[in-house]
Amino acid sequence: MKQKTNRKFTSIKLDHEAIKPGAGIIELWCLRMLVQHGGHRKFVTKDSFSSDEVLSALSLEEYGEKDLDRPAFMKLLKERHASVEKAAHTLPSNLKSNVAVVQEQLSLNDVEASILAFTIMLHTEEALEECTDTLGQLDKNKLIRALSTILDYPQQKIASALAVKGQLALSGLVKLDQDWTRDMKSKLDLMSGLADNLMSPRVDPGSLFSNCYFEGLSPKLNSEDFMHLKEHYKMVKKYLEGALADRTEGVNILVHGLPGSGKSEMVRSIVHEMDAQLFEISMEDSDGDALSSNARFSAYQLSQQILKRTEPAVILFDEIEDVFPDEGRGEKKGYSSTTKKAWINKLMETNPVPALWLSNKVYHIDPAFLRRFDYVLEMPTPNKSGRKRILDHYLEGITVSAQWIEKMSEHEHLLPAHVEKATKVAGLLNHDDAHANEKELERVLNGMMKILGRPKIQENIRVKASTSYSLDYLNTNVDMPRLVEGLKRSQRGNLCFYGAPGTGKTALAGYIAKQMDRPLLSKKASDILSMWVGGSEQNIAKMFEEAREEKAVLVLDEADSLLRDRRNANQSWEVTQVNELLVQMENFDGLFICSTNLMDDLDQASLRRFAIKVEFDFLKPEQALAMLRKESIAEPSMLDRRAITSMNSLAPGDFAAVKKRLDILGLDATPDVMITELRAEVAVKSGTKNCAIGFL
């Protein structure tokens, strides 16, 4: 039901607005302060006045030029006060109409509406502010008595309107400083930007609070793009639906993760699927200036009170790391006092509208606040399949090849925000040629990766070997076809591939994943090791979790860096990272493959965790000849066959390196050219045996 507007302001005619909007009501309030509340003691000094602005508001400027007759002037003030009390005064028309809108939106009573209007005038009119200074420094009780006199309401009603549980405080419009003795303007804390809004020409209720919140943006992604968070996505959605249906108070969900990882998009997608209305807390005012942390918190507080009448509604509060400043780095403390901590905790326990709080970092947030969140979700970077879905989604309408998308999805640092920005550029360049689009996209993405300290696209994506793959070119101590068939059947196990570089360890892992019809998740030790204590252990856990979600074959290259023998450890973290990897191996219900060139460096306990240990040796003479025939463009001569079979320390990787080199140099892969290049490749290997193998 619509509230009645304030009887003090709306039933009175406007006398002074032709001169200056609100001049009459300012004069009335000033006279009440000076005459009724004793402000004249500081205003009328021995031989002058404390404020020319107040004299002007009273239309008594000429008295500033005369010799002051204090008794006569006081008599004049009292007569003027009696006369003004009988006259008609009201608020400026813009303020009056806008306060009426706020009063209806928030169900303010007449006293609360009067205090709001007075506070806005106090923060915008210099004469009124200077007149309140004549009342001196005020504590809470003195303030209530002063407002009772100025607004002509009983002290009990003023106190109730300014109470912590009052609508003014709950909405954040006007908050009373409870702790300190201050001047009146400082005691009545007005929401940032509110005065400008309410003093503006009358606007509709929606735009009136645009500095506080706005209607949520439409999602650009959908649930399919968050399959790497499928269970979390479903749980958050179901919880919000239940909270809205039961009108549950104090529903708060925290989503945190790297910038650009898709936190906002996920929330928008969830609320969109719920067929609810999403509202987002503003980060800037109408002039485009950034809101302070206090202002944003006040905006959130007000939005809760307004939107509780909008059904069904959900609030998105993004970048809350600015609301909870980083005290550890000497930033402004903001809401860190005990009183305000209690106030925030209470706010989070009683908010009527479900809220999702998003943050790029949470380590600095006080645990007292973190405990108030019902559900905490760490937003991981999308896995390979997730990255591919996001690329497909954003690149719709832009000509690129499927092979390029597959290649790009390999880059584990690629986030939704990166793809969105890159496709925005590519869409405006509007190339018809797929290759041109791909080059432009890579250029944009690599610029982002560089400034963020991430590997470039081409540096992080493995180049496929230029030679064909076959089990026939592996020299191992295990029946390889039988092993592959066994893995296809069991779909699980811990394997260790060890041997010299280039002997086919990593390539075999990819072959096995393809035969098992599983994606391959390949990690290097450098992807896992962290400069922070505990960081490597966290990365190890994330690696296994990603493999579970993707149902992928997990491959860890350079495993000796992470599974180094604990007996030789000099630091505690060297032990804990080995422990973490061993625990994760035990609990992993999939296929995990480690590869290493330094088998002797592995921790002894780790060796027991590997069901199968496969040694990779250099090519046998007949394998080397078979590879030469396969990769060269002509049949080797007898001399070529003797040369290749007598070459020691030859590995499949050597053939791949030679083929790439010949391609760069523009040379044909004839048998004699390949043999020359293979000899050079073998010669640079350290530890090469001098004795020949093959024909002696």
Side-chain angles (χ1 to χ4, degrees), residues 542-560:
K542 288 180 181 178
M543 171 181 72
F544 280 93
E545 182 61 28
E546 184 178 353
R548 287 189 189 93
E549 291 175 353
E550 290 227 14
K551 296 181 172 57
V553 172
L554 178 58
V555 178
L556 177 61
D557 283 339
E558 306 163 8
D560 46 276

Side-chain angles (χ1 to χ4, degrees), residues 3 24 42 44 67 113 153 156 210 301 353 357 373 468 481 497 504 507 515 539 651:
Q3 296 286 323
K42 287 190 176 182
V44 185
D67 292 334
Y153 282 109
Q156 185 178 359
S210 59
Q301 189 179 6
V353 182
W357 306 61
F373 291 106
S468 56
F497 292 172
Q515 294 300 308
N539 292 337

